[in-house]
């Protein structure tokens, strides 16, 4: 079955770090554009976090709220995209979703066609 599978979430204290992974499994083609969104709580809006275009020299995109603290990367051989998160803050708490199949602006929720189930990140002392 085709799916995006996230892992790496957990609980961490403020200032800590986590690395999220997303494996694109079962697809017969390379996913060139992948991203991460988050939602702080059920019913709240999805917030764009980061995206990567792996074609040619990779291009990276970050929201202002995570720029300088989060790093998105990919391993094409493993069909995996990573989100390295450091200097975590309580406001980074939420469910993090991996996305792919971009058709539009990377920071718009409706631009992405494929979604994972999410992995929970909790930042608390």
């Amino acid at each position: 079955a085709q799916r995006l599978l996230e892992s790496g979430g957990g609980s961490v204290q403020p200032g800590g770090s986590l690395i999220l992974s997303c494996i694109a499994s079962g697809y017969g083609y390379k996913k060139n554009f992948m991203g991460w969104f988050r939602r702080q709580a059920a019913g709240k809006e999805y917030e764009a976090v980061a995206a990567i275009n792996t074609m040619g020299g990779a291009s990276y995109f970050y929201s202002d709220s995570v720029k300088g603290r989060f790093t998105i990367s990919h391993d094409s051989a493993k069909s995996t995209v990573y989100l390295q998160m450091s200097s975590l803050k309580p406001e980074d708490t939420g469910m993090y979703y991996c996305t792919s199949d971009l058709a539009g602006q990377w920071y718009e929720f409706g631009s992405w066609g494929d979604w994972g189930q999410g992995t929970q990140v909790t930042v608390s002392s």
Side-chain angles (χ1 to χ4, degrees):
Q2 296 179 337
R3 60 178 181 173
L4 300 175
L5 183 61
E6 303 98 333
S7 63
S11 295
V12 64
Q13 292 186 340
S17 300
L18 282 174
I19 299 176
L20 306 183
S21 300
C22 173
I23 298 174
S25 175
Y27 298 91
Y29 59 93
K30 179 181 177 182
K31 289 189 173 288
N32 296 317
F33 228 124
M34 297 185 72
W36 290 92
F37 274 67
R38 66 186 179 190
R39 189 169 64 160
Q40 291 183 323
K44 291 206 170 184
E45 289 189 355
Y46 289 84
E47 176 192 4
V49 175
I52 182 170
N53 179 1
T54 65
M55 293 183 66
S59 300
Y60 308 92
F61 306 87
Y62 298 96
S63 67
D64 288 342
S65 62
V66 306
K67 198 173 295 182
R69 300 187 298 121
F70 291 11
T71 301
I72 189 170
S73 62
H74 80 287
D75 185 331
S76 294
K78 297 181 179 179
S79 299
T80 300
V81 64
Y82 303 95
L83 184 68
Q84 184 172 349
M85 307 185 295
S86 60
S87 302
L88 283 162
K89 305 174 182 180
E91 52 264 43
D92 293 317
T93 294
M95 187 71 79
Y96 282 69
Y97 298 89
C98 178
T99 66
S100 70
D101 298 347
L102 177 66
Q105 300 295 330
W106 77 271
Y107 48 82
E108 293 180 348
F109 174 83
S111 294
W112 298 87
D114 202 1
W115 293 80
Q117 294 298 308
T119 184
Q120 177 69 35
V121 172
T122 302
V123 184
S124 171
S125 55

